[in-house]
Amino acid sequence: MDTDVLPLGERALRSILDHVTLVGDEAETTYLEVKSSLDLSSKAGVAKVAKFLLGAANRRPHEAARHLHGYAVLVIGAQKGVAPGVPRGVEAHELEDRLRPYLGPQFPAFEFGRIGVDAENEVLFVIAQPPQDGQTIFPCHKSLQGDERRDSLEDGAIYVRGTSNTRPARSGEVLALVERARGGGKPPIELEVEVLGSICRVDRVGEVLEHLHEFEEENFKKQEQPATNAFASTSTFLASSILGGTGPQSAEDREEALDAWRIGKPEHIAKGREHFLGVGLPGAGIRVVSRDRFIGKPHLIVTFHDCELLDHLETDDADYEKVIEPVVRRHDPFGTAIDYSALRPFPRGHPVAWSNRGKDAEVVLTPESFRPNVPWTSDQDDYVILARDPQARSVTVTWVLTEDGNDAVTSGELRVPTASLIDATDLFTAVFLEED
């Protein structure tokens, strides 16, 4: 059954009735109760309706709002496989007059619906209003001893809806209703999310990296290649210095090394791209402000649509060999040293995590709290944000927030402009060729 509808009008009520006749008593939940038959002219029958309405009125608003827009429905005259109805003739105002002694003078109004079965019978629907923050607790105002204890009502008792029945409230539920009467405790969340730094755009990255790998291969083959421009000259110099005359000596060894390098070339380019962009592009962060509201242990997911995240690296960590894998790495007679620049040490409980999910990039923020009207800002040296489409002038950013101890989910969306388009050749030159 679709519970994201208003249970008002014949179409919605028929949908509920179809669900009841399909599953019977299994349909009963916090927002739906079923009675196969009920004599609404008797005190016992009226008391059962009163008990349902009291329980529905004493629900917590944020829990009730999950289904049927906060309404609750009592279906009378239906069961699994059949809906025989109850005798026609029940009038809403007459039922309300019979219910008033149990509900009290301040009890909110309720809706009354009916679907005809035949000339003599109809299915009745008693529809309770959604509970609201600031409402008082609604106790029972009159006692009635039913044939069974579960059908009795006690003057002054507080009834609540359980998973499939209406029962007396427990202590924690009474305290929750006291909090509701005070105004619900926490006000709605109003969150401002701002992206700090740049959402970068870089063109021709793959083309430039492929070109540099071609230089590496040619330099390895010839050991020396005339420079045609400053860009090629520096690349040749770097590649030559990498080889350092320490590579395989025989032609056969050199050919084997080149074949292995070619096989690994796609992986080399992928890793080189990450390092190149990580050291070449500025980092980004997120600024969050909670307006007039303390949020304890928030979990904020910020999604950059059609974007990619890369680890941000310091410019001093720029390493040509990590961008362009040499055919043969220089031999280190003292063993392989630890590459400290590749390590990402974060303090325990670091409140920022990031990953790529499909075509989107996701940042998860988990600080201790967002304090009212006090900006919380993440560092701008964790990651780089790159638009996947170099021609995109802006990207869509969405966010979803939950907080500890609150079932409510708050979300938002913003459009963020991208930075100016950078050519990969210019970026490579700025990082690896220009000297301060």
Side-chain angles (χ1 to χ4, degrees), residues 200-205 208 231 273 275-282 384 386 422-434:
C200 303
R201 293 188 293 150
V202 184
D203 198 15
R204 300 195 318 113
V205 176
V208 169
F231 181 76
R273 176 180 178 275
H275 184 80
F276 170 41
L277 296 175
V279 298
L281 297 176
V384 169
L386 181 68
I422 304 172
D423 187 275
T425 300
D426 297 333
L427 185 63
F428 183 87
T429 301
V431 175
F432 292 100
L433 305 187
E434 290 183 354

mmCIF file of all heavy atoms in Angstrom, residues 200-205 208 231 273 275-282 384 386 422-434:
data_model
loop_
_atom_site.group_PDB
_atom_site.id
_atom_site.type_symbol
_atom_site.label_atom_id
_atom_site.label_comp_id
_atom_site.label_asym_id
_atom_site.label_seq_id
_atom_site.Cartn_x
_atom_site.Cartn_y
_atom_site.Cartn_z
ATOM 1 N N CYS A 200 37.219 22.620 -10.041
ATOM 2 C CA CYS A 200 38.166 22.848 -11.140
ATOM 3 C C CYS A 200 37.686 22.251 -12.460
ATOM 4 O O CYS A 200 36.891 21.306 -12.495
ATOM 5 C CB CYS A 200 39.525 22.261 -10.783
ATOM 6 S SG CYS A 200 40.212 22.921 -9.246
ATOM 7 N N ARG A 201 38.220 22.834 -13.533
ATOM 8 C CA ARG A 201 38.010 22.304 -14.889
ATOM 9 C C ARG A 201 39.363 22.254 -15.594
ATOM 10 O O ARG A 201 40.073 23.259 -15.647
ATOM 11 C CB ARG A 201 37.055 23.188 -15.689
ATOM 12 C CG ARG A 201 35.631 23.204 -15.169
ATOM 13 C CD ARG A 201 34.721 23.947 -16.134
ATOM 14 N NE ARG A 201 35.033 25.365 -16.205
ATOM 15 C CZ ARG A 201 34.844 26.125 -17.280
ATOM 16 N NH1 ARG A 201 34.390 25.577 -18.414
ATOM 17 N NH2 ARG A 201 35.115 27.417 -17.254
ATOM 18 N N VAL A 202 39.716 21.085 -16.118
ATOM 19 C CA VAL A 202 40.985 20.932 -16.824
ATOM 20 C C VAL A 202 40.714 20.209 -18.135
ATOM 21 O O VAL A 202 40.051 19.169 -18.165
ATOM 22 C CB VAL A 202 42.009 20.137 -15.990
ATOM 23 C CG1 VAL A 202 43.348 20.083 -16.707
ATOM 24 C CG2 VAL A 202 42.174 20.749 -14.600
ATOM 25 N N ASP A 203 41.255 20.770 -19.212
ATOM 26 C CA ASP A 203 41.044 20.199 -20.541
ATOM 27 C C ASP A 203 42.311 19.497 -21.028
ATOM 28 O O ASP A 203 43.426 19.887 -20.672
ATOM 29 C CB ASP A 203 40.655 21.322 -21.514
ATOM 30 C CG ASP A 203 39.996 20.778 -22.772
ATOM 31 O OD1 ASP A 203 39.590 19.598 -22.763
ATOM 32 O OD2 ASP A 203 39.890 21.533 -23.758
ATOM 33 N N ARG A 204 42.143 18.462 -21.816
ATOM 34 C CA ARG A 204 43.206 17.740 -22.511
ATOM 35 C C ARG A 204 44.170 17.007 -21.555
ATOM 36 O O ARG A 204 45.343 16.833 -21.859
ATOM 37 C CB ARG A 204 44.007 18.677 -23.407
ATOM 38 C CG ARG A 204 43.190 19.356 -24.490
ATOM 39 C CD ARG A 204 44.025 19.989 -25.586
ATOM 40 N NE ARG A 204 45.196 20.689 -25.092
ATOM 41 C CZ ARG A 204 46.453 20.305 -25.322
ATOM 42 N NH1 ARG A 204 46.706 19.203 -25.996
ATOM 43 N NH2 ARG A 204 47.463 21.040 -24.869
ATOM 44 N N VAL A 205 43.682 16.549 -20.423
ATOM 45 C CA VAL A 205 44.549 15.837 -19.485
ATOM 46 C C VAL A 205 45.049 14.539 -20.118
ATOM 47 O O VAL A 205 46.251 14.255 -20.129
ATOM 48 C CB VAL A 205 43.812 15.529 -18.167
ATOM 49 C CG1 VAL A 205 44.708 14.709 -17.240
ATOM 50 C CG2 VAL A 205 43.385 16.821 -17.482
ATOM 51 N N VAL A 208 47.625 15.179 -22.958
ATOM 52 C CA VAL A 208 48.944 15.604 -22.516
ATOM 53 C C VAL A 208 49.705 14.433 -21.879
ATOM 54 O O VAL A 208 50.900 14.242 -22.135
ATOM 55 C CB VAL A 208 48.825 16.786 -21.530
ATOM 56 C CG1 VAL A 208 50.160 17.060 -20.850
ATOM 57 C CG2 VAL A 208 48.337 18.027 -22.263
ATOM 58 N N PHE A 231 59.158 22.767 -23.603
ATOM 59 C CA PHE A 231 58.359 21.721 -22.945
ATOM 60 C C PHE A 231 58.989 20.361 -23.195
ATOM 61 O O PHE A 231 59.234 19.581 -22.282
ATOM 62 C CB PHE A 231 56.934 21.776 -23.501
ATOM 63 C CG PHE A 231 56.006 20.762 -22.896
ATOM 64 C CD1 PHE A 231 55.500 20.960 -21.622
ATOM 65 C CD2 PHE A 231 55.644 19.642 -23.602
ATOM 66 C CE1 PHE A 231 54.635 20.038 -21.064
ATOM 67 C CE2 PHE A 231 54.793 18.721 -23.049
ATOM 68 C CZ PHE A 231 54.272 18.924 -21.778
ATOM 69 N N ARG A 273 47.765 10.522 -13.579
ATOM 70 C CA ARG A 273 46.733 11.560 -13.645
ATOM 71 C C ARG A 273 46.346 12.009 -12.235
ATOM 72 O O ARG A 273 46.194 13.208 -11.967
ATOM 73 C CB ARG A 273 45.521 11.019 -14.389
ATOM 74 C CG ARG A 273 44.332 11.972 -14.451
ATOM 75 C CD ARG A 273 43.184 11.313 -15.211
ATOM 76 N NE ARG A 273 42.018 12.178 -15.251
ATOM 77 C CZ ARG A 273 41.102 12.238 -14.272
ATOM 78 N NH1 ARG A 273 41.250 11.484 -13.194
ATOM 79 N NH2 ARG A 273 40.064 13.050 -14.388
ATOM 80 N N HIS A 275 48.117 11.907 -9.474
ATOM 81 C CA HIS A 275 49.189 12.696 -8.860
ATOM 82 C C HIS A 275 49.303 14.072 -9.518
ATOM 83 O O HIS A 275 49.439 15.092 -8.825
ATOM 84 C CB HIS A 275 50.518 11.947 -8.981
ATOM 85 C CG HIS A 275 51.650 12.641 -8.282
ATOM 86 N ND1 HIS A 275 51.844 12.564 -6.920
ATOM 87 C CD2 HIS A 275 52.633 13.465 -8.758
ATOM 88 C CE1 HIS A 275 52.899 13.283 -6.585
ATOM 89 N NE2 HIS A 275 53.392 13.843 -7.678
ATOM 90 N N PHE A 276 49.233 14.104 -10.819
ATOM 91 C CA PHE A 276 49.348 15.352 -11.568
ATOM 92 C C PHE A 276 48.289 16.354 -11.128
ATOM 93 O O PHE A 276 48.580 17.510 -10.793
ATOM 94 C CB PHE A 276 49.235 15.025 -13.061
ATOM 95 C CG PHE A 276 49.103 16.214 -13.959
ATOM 96 C CD1 PHE A 276 49.839 17.367 -13.751
ATOM 97 C CD2 PHE A 276 48.238 16.169 -15.047
ATOM 98 C CE1 PHE A 276 49.722 18.462 -14.598
ATOM 99 C CE2 PHE A 276 48.107 17.248 -15.896
ATOM 100 C CZ PHE A 276 48.842 18.406 -15.669
ATOM 101 N N LEU A 277 47.026 15.917 -11.084
ATOM 102 C CA LEU A 277 45.945 16.819 -10.711
ATOM 103 C C LEU A 277 45.952 17.108 -9.213
ATOM 104 O O LEU A 277 45.591 18.206 -8.775
ATOM 105 C CB LEU A 277 44.606 16.220 -11.132
ATOM 106 C CG LEU A 277 44.419 16.038 -12.646
ATOM 107 C CD1 LEU A 277 43.105 15.336 -12.939
ATOM 108 C CD2 LEU A 277 44.477 17.376 -13.375
ATOM 109 N N GLY A 278 46.376 16.122 -8.414
ATOM 110 C CA GLY A 278 46.411 16.320 -6.966
ATOM 111 C C GLY A 278 47.386 17.393 -6.535
ATOM 112 O O GLY A 278 47.121 18.169 -5.610
ATOM 113 N N VAL A 279 48.549 17.461 -7.211
ATOM 114 C CA VAL A 279 49.539 18.485 -6.860
ATOM 115 C C VAL A 279 49.320 19.774 -7.633
ATOM 116 O O VAL A 279 49.776 20.844 -7.209
ATOM 117 C CB VAL A 279 50.985 17.983 -7.103
ATOM 118 C CG1 VAL A 279 51.292 16.793 -6.227
ATOM 119 C CG2 VAL A 279 51.216 17.649 -8.574
ATOM 120 N N GLY A 280 48.620 19.697 -8.755
ATOM 121 C CA GLY A 280 48.478 20.869 -9.608
ATOM 122 C C GLY A 280 47.276 21.736 -9.311
ATOM 123 O O GLY A 280 47.279 22.928 -9.616
ATOM 124 N N LEU A 281 46.222 21.152 -8.692
ATOM 125 C CA LEU A 281 44.973 21.885 -8.496
ATOM 126 C C LEU A 281 44.785 22.258 -7.025
ATOM 127 O O LEU A 281 45.260 21.555 -6.127
ATOM 128 C CB LEU A 281 43.793 21.042 -8.978
ATOM 129 C CG LEU A 281 43.790 20.698 -10.468
ATOM 130 C CD1 LEU A 281 42.625 19.783 -10.797
ATOM 131 C CD2 LEU A 281 43.723 21.972 -11.320
ATOM 132 N N PRO A 282 44.082 23.339 -6.768
ATOM 133 C CA PRO A 282 43.850 23.762 -5.379
ATOM 134 C C PRO A 282 42.824 22.881 -4.685
ATOM 135 O O PRO A 282 41.912 22.331 -5.318
ATOM 136 C CB PRO A 282 43.324 25.202 -5.543
ATOM 137 C CG PRO A 282 42.669 25.206 -6.896
ATOM 138 C CD PRO A 282 43.503 24.280 -7.748
ATOM 139 N N VAL A 384 40.605 17.505 -3.904
ATOM 140 C CA VAL A 384 40.416 18.391 -5.052
ATOM 141 C C VAL A 384 39.097 17.994 -5.712
ATOM 142 O O VAL A 384 38.795 16.802 -5.849
ATOM 143 C CB VAL A 384 41.576 18.235 -6.056
ATOM 144 C CG1 VAL A 384 41.257 18.936 -7.368
ATOM 145 C CG2 VAL A 384 42.869 18.764 -5.461
ATOM 146 N N LEU A 386 36.966 18.077 -9.139
ATOM 147 C CA LEU A 386 37.149 18.253 -10.585
ATOM 148 C C LEU A 386 35.846 17.952 -11.309
ATOM 149 O O LEU A 386 35.260 16.883 -11.136
ATOM 150 C CB LEU A 386 38.250 17.312 -11.093
ATOM 151 C CG LEU A 386 38.575 17.380 -12.580
ATOM 152 C CD1 LEU A 386 39.238 18.711 -12.928
ATOM 153 C CD2 LEU A 386 39.479 16.219 -12.991
ATOM 154 N N ILE A 422 41.300 25.302 -17.403
ATOM 155 C CA ILE A 422 42.757 25.258 -17.473
ATOM 156 C C ILE A 422 43.163 24.215 -18.502
ATOM 157 O O ILE A 422 42.607 23.117 -18.548
ATOM 158 C CB ILE A 422 43.361 24.879 -16.105
ATOM 159 C CG1 ILE A 422 42.895 25.838 -15.013
ATOM 160 C CG2 ILE A 422 44.881 24.836 -16.166
ATOM 161 C CD1 ILE A 422 43.305 25.410 -13.613
ATOM 162 N N ASP A 423 44.148 24.548 -19.326
ATOM 163 C CA ASP A 423 44.696 23.570 -20.256
ATOM 164 C C ASP A 423 45.738 22.732 -19.515
ATOM 165 O O ASP A 423 46.557 23.248 -18.755
ATOM 166 C CB ASP A 423 45.333 24.261 -21.459
ATOM 167 C CG ASP A 423 45.760 23.260 -22.519
ATOM 168 O OD1 ASP A 423 46.877 22.716 -22.398
ATOM 169 O OD2 ASP A 423 44.976 23.005 -23.441
ATOM 170 N N ALA A 424 45.714 21.425 -19.729
ATOM 171 C CA ALA A 424 46.612 20.525 -19.017
ATOM 172 C C ALA A 424 48.083 20.855 -19.278
ATOM 173 O O ALA A 424 48.936 20.681 -18.396
ATOM 174 C CB ALA A 424 46.316 19.079 -19.396
ATOM 175 N N THR A 425 48.409 21.335 -20.478
ATOM 176 C CA THR A 425 49.790 21.716 -20.769
ATOM 177 C C THR A 425 50.240 22.864 -19.877
ATOM 178 O O THR A 425 51.343 22.845 -19.316
ATOM 179 C CB THR A 425 49.931 22.128 -22.246
ATOM 180 O OG1 THR A 425 49.559 21.039 -23.072
ATOM 181 C CG2 THR A 425 51.360 22.530 -22.559
ATOM 182 N N ASP A 426 49.393 23.868 -19.717
ATOM 183 C CA ASP A 426 49.728 24.999 -18.853
ATOM 184 C C ASP A 426 49.871 24.548 -17.400
ATOM 185 O O ASP A 426 50.759 25.026 -16.682
ATOM 186 C CB ASP A 426 48.652 26.079 -18.957
ATOM 187 C CG ASP A 426 48.553 26.663 -20.355
ATOM 188 O OD1 ASP A 426 49.574 26.637 -21.073
ATOM 189 O OD2 ASP A 426 47.463 27.145 -20.720
ATOM 190 N N LEU A 427 49.009 23.631 -16.968
ATOM 191 C CA LEU A 427 49.078 23.147 -15.601
ATOM 192 C C LEU A 427 50.372 22.375 -15.369
ATOM 193 O O LEU A 427 51.051 22.555 -14.348
ATOM 194 C CB LEU A 427 47.863 22.260 -15.291
ATOM 195 C CG LEU A 427 47.738 21.766 -13.856
ATOM 196 C CD1 LEU A 427 47.564 22.937 -12.894
ATOM 197 C CD2 LEU A 427 46.549 20.804 -13.726
ATOM 198 N N PHE A 428 50.755 21.525 -16.333
ATOM 199 C CA PHE A 428 51.995 20.759 -16.200
ATOM 200 C C PHE A 428 53.202 21.703 -16.156
ATOM 201 O O PHE A 428 54.121 21.526 -15.356
ATOM 202 C CB PHE A 428 52.129 19.782 -17.360
ATOM 203 C CG PHE A 428 53.342 18.899 -17.272
ATOM 204 C CD1 PHE A 428 53.298 17.709 -16.585
ATOM 205 C CD2 PHE A 428 54.536 19.274 -17.871
ATOM 206 C CE1 PHE A 428 54.420 16.894 -16.474
ATOM 207 C CE2 PHE A 428 55.660 18.478 -17.770
ATOM 208 C CZ PHE A 428 55.598 17.280 -17.082
ATOM 209 N N THR A 429 53.186 22.697 -17.009
ATOM 210 C CA THR A 429 54.290 23.662 -17.042
ATOM 211 C C THR A 429 54.419 24.387 -15.712
ATOM 212 O O THR A 429 55.524 24.570 -15.189
ATOM 213 C CB THR A 429 54.063 24.681 -18.174
ATOM 214 O OG1 THR A 429 53.976 23.980 -19.412
ATOM 215 C CG2 THR A 429 55.200 25.683 -18.235
ATOM 216 N N ALA A 430 53.278 24.798 -15.144
ATOM 217 C CA ALA A 430 53.298 25.539 -13.883
ATOM 218 C C ALA A 430 53.826 24.690 -12.736
ATOM 219 O O ALA A 430 54.518 25.196 -11.843
ATOM 220 C CB ALA A 430 51.891 26.043 -13.559
ATOM 221 N N VAL A 431 53.533 23.392 -12.750
ATOM 222 C CA VAL A 431 53.926 22.530 -11.637
ATOM 223 C C VAL A 431 55.350 22.013 -11.782
ATOM 224 O O VAL A 431 56.134 22.007 -10.830
ATOM 225 C CB VAL A 431 52.946 21.345 -11.502
ATOM 226 C CG1 VAL A 431 53.432 20.372 -10.426
ATOM 227 C CG2 VAL A 431 51.547 21.847 -11.184
ATOM 228 N N PHE A 432 55.740 21.588 -12.984
ATOM 229 C CA PHE A 432 56.994 20.874 -13.162
ATOM 230 C C PHE A 432 58.095 21.660 -13.874
ATOM 231 O O PHE A 432 59.258 21.298 -13.787
ATOM 232 C CB PHE A 432 56.747 19.563 -13.918
ATOM 233 C CG PHE A 432 55.960 18.557 -13.128
ATOM 234 C CD1 PHE A 432 54.617 18.399 -13.346
ATOM 235 C CD2 PHE A 432 56.585 17.766 -12.168
ATOM 236 C CE1 PHE A 432 53.883 17.473 -12.610
ATOM 237 C CE2 PHE A 432 55.867 16.843 -11.441
ATOM 238 C CZ PHE A 432 54.509 16.697 -11.655
ATOM 239 N N LEU A 433 57.758 22.706 -14.588
ATOM 240 C CA LEU A 433 58.762 23.386 -15.397
ATOM 241 C C LEU A 433 59.121 24.755 -14.865
ATOM 242 O O LEU A 433 60.250 25.217 -15.076
ATOM 243 C CB LEU A 433 58.286 23.502 -16.855
ATOM 244 C CG LEU A 433 57.888 22.171 -17.531
ATOM 245 C CD1 LEU A 433 57.603 22.421 -18.982
ATOM 246 C CD2 LEU A 433 58.985 21.134 -17.353
ATOM 247 N N GLU A 434 58.171 25.450 -14.239
ATOM 248 C CA GLU A 434 58.460 26.794 -13.768
ATOM 249 C C GLU A 434 59.135 26.726 -12.416
ATOM 250 O O GLU A 434 58.758 25.935 -11.541
ATOM 251 C CB GLU A 434 57.174 27.614 -13.659
ATOM 252 C CG GLU A 434 56.567 27.951 -15.013
ATOM 253 C CD GLU A 434 55.339 28.828 -14.868
ATOM 254 O OE1 GLU A 434 54.919 29.071 -13.721
ATOM 255 O OE2 GLU A 434 54.823 29.277 -15.893
#
